[in-house]
Amino acid sequence: MAKKKKKNIADGSGDMDPIKLPDQKKIRALNTETRRGSAMNQYADSLFSNDKSRKQGSFERAIAYEDPGRNLTLASEEEEEEEEEDITEFAARQVPKATGLNRGVKLGGQYVRKKTIVMWCVLALSFLLIMMFAFPPIISDDVDGSKTAQDVDIFKDMGTTELKKYASEHYSVNADMEKFFTSEKSDNYRVAELSFNVRNLSPFKVEIPKFVVSKVDAPYKNKIGYIQSEIGEDGKDVPITIPAFSSKKIKIRVVVNVAEMSEKEFNDALSSMIISTKGMNKKVFGLSVPCVPYFIFVSNNISLDLD
């Protein structure tokens, strides 16, 4: 029997494929740079070859968004600055430049429009003019000068019927004369003389033709008959005049029906009154300028004796 010849592994023959070394030429071919496509592709190839991208590329803005280890407010602050710049540019284009009365004047630490300053000046001047021309004088109570007139007979010159008619025509009547004159006895009536100080603070003469009763408490409505200011020789009211920048004492006479009234009720009736001026005016360069009515609240400090 013939012997089989052993295969020599060293000579490369046998069942297994021999191990070959890589072809160096093919490897070099893979590293060879190619230039295909448009110029943009060529620029991209050259940019990312030979590690150029690491040297030339700038990714700081992207890192600010992606890297959690960095302060992410960098990009938000830049965006806010850009928005503020956009808003400022927009406002500068849209808002016109202030001119004339719309221009600001610095007062203290802030700017105020000239229009606002002019408006306040006009209001202040108007107020001063009103104070000078139309504002009434100041009237205050004179407690010590007020008293009850003694031994005054209201029926001295005329009877009840004539006095009713005369008072209605010439005096400031408050009550119904039929209900006021409940008796023909003079002892049932009192004349209260209320004294007041009048101050005229304006540079013009003030004239007060008449005083009227604006209000009185209901229980005494028909107890306060009529009031008189200064009486002339003919028995009629005479206008009261107060010179410029001066003061004057005046008296207002109030006729009261005191039948069945106590002294307290007599004083309560007087203090419940509100007296106002009527037809008051100022003489301004020969013209009569109407004044605002002045209301006098009779003080309860005034205490008069009934008898």
Side-chain angles (χ1 to χ4, degrees):
M1 177 179 241
K3 293 180 181 180
K4 291 183 181 181
K5 188 178 180 181
K6 292 182 181 181
K7 293 182 181 180
N8 190 4
I9 298 175
D11 62 2
S13 63
D15 295 335
M16 296 180 63
D17 293 336
I19 297 174
K20 295 180 180 181
L21 295 174
D23 190 347
Q24 296 295 329
K25 292 182 178 181
K26 291 182 179 181
I27 292 175
R28 293 189 186 97
L30 292 174
N31 292 330
T32 303
E33 296 182 359
T34 59
R35 296 291 185 267
R36 294 180 181 179
S38 64
M40 184 180 294
N41 291 335
Q42 294 176 10
Y43 176 77
D45 291 340
S46 62
L47 178 64
F48 288 98
S49 64
N50 299 325
D51 293 334
K52 291 182 179 180
S53 62
R54 296 183 182 178
K55 298 178 181 179
Q56 298 180 3
S58 177
F59 298 97
E60 291 180 1
R61 190 173 181 85
I63 290 173
Y65 284 101
E66 297 177 2
D67 188 357
R70 296 191 57 183
N71 186 2
L72 299 182
T73 59
L74 177 61
S76 60
E77 289 177 355
E78 291 178 355
E79 289 181 353
E80 289 178 359
E81 290 178 358
E82 291 178 358
E83 290 179 358
E84 290 178 357
E85 291 177 358
D86 294 341
I87 293 173
T88 305
E89 292 177 0
F90 177 78
R93 290 195 302 268
Q94 296 296 328
V95 179
K97 186 177 180 180
T99 57
L101 294 178
N102 290 320
R103 296 185 64 182
V105 177
K106 191 172 183 180
L107 295 177
Q110 61 182 357
Y111 283 89
V112 182
R113 289 191 305 172
K114 290 183 178 179
K115 185 176 182 180
T116 304
I117 297 175
V118 171
M119 181 184 68
W120 282 109
C121 290
V122 171
L123 290 176
L125 182 60
S126 301
F127 179 76
L128 290 175
L129 291 176
I130 291 173
M131 287 286 292
M132 291 178 63
F133 294 102
F135 199 76
I138 299 173
I139 304 175
S140 59
D141 293 315
D142 179 16
V143 177
D144 296 334
S146 300
K147 63 179 182 179
T148 302
Q150 300 295 326
D151 300 329
V152 175
D153 184 3
I154 62 173
F155 301 115
K156 180 180 179 180
D157 298 324
M158 59 189 73
T160 305
T161 304
E162 295 176 331
L163 184 57
K164 290 178 184 178
K165 182 179 179 181
Y166 190 86
S168 300
E169 293 177 352
H170 299 92
Y171 304 139
S172 176
V173 177
N174 174 71
D176 182 352
M177 290 292 98
E178 295 297 331
K179 294 180 180 180
F180 176 73
F181 287 108
T182 56
S183 172
E184 294 184 358
K185 293 182 178 180
S186 181
D187 293 340
N188 290 331
Y189 302 92
R190 294 290 186 276
V191 177
E193 294 183 350
L194 304 179
S195 181
F196 298 95
N197 294 314
V198 183
R199 291 183 180 181
N200 180 15
L201 303 178
S202 71
F204 307 104
K205 183 175 68 174
V206 174
E207 183 179 273
I208 307 175
K210 186 177 290 189
F211 290 91
V212 297
V213 178
S214 297
K215 178 186 174 299
V216 64
D217 288 350
Y220 311 112
K221 175 67 177 177
N222 290 318
K223 293 294 184 179
I224 305 296
Y226 56 91
I227 64 174
Q228 305 165 295
S229 54
E230 293 186 359
I231 308 298
E233 294 180 357
D234 55 357
K236 299 179 182 179
D237 284 347
V238 177
I240 297 173
T241 58
I242 303 98
F245 298 117
S246 63
S247 60
K248 184 177 182 179
K249 284 189 177 183
I250 63 172
K251 287 188 180 294
I252 299 177
R253 295 170 180 82
V254 183
V255 182
V256 185
N257 185 337
V258 296
E260 300 179 356
M261 286 181 67
S262 64
E263 187 170 290
K264 181 180 183 302
E265 290 174 335
F266 173 59
N267 284 281
D268 288 344
L270 295 175
S271 61
S272 71
M273 290 192 304
I274 299 177
I275 301 172
S276 65
T277 60
K278 184 178 180 180
M280 184 168 57
N281 60 79
K282 291 183 179 180
K283 300 299 182 181
V284 181
F285 305 118
L287 300 176
S288 295
V289 178
C291 291
V292 178
Y294 192 93
F295 293 88
I296 306 171
F297 295 82
V298 180
S299 175
N300 54 10
N301 292 327
I302 295 177
S303 180
L304 305 182
D305 295 330
L306 185 59
D307 298 327

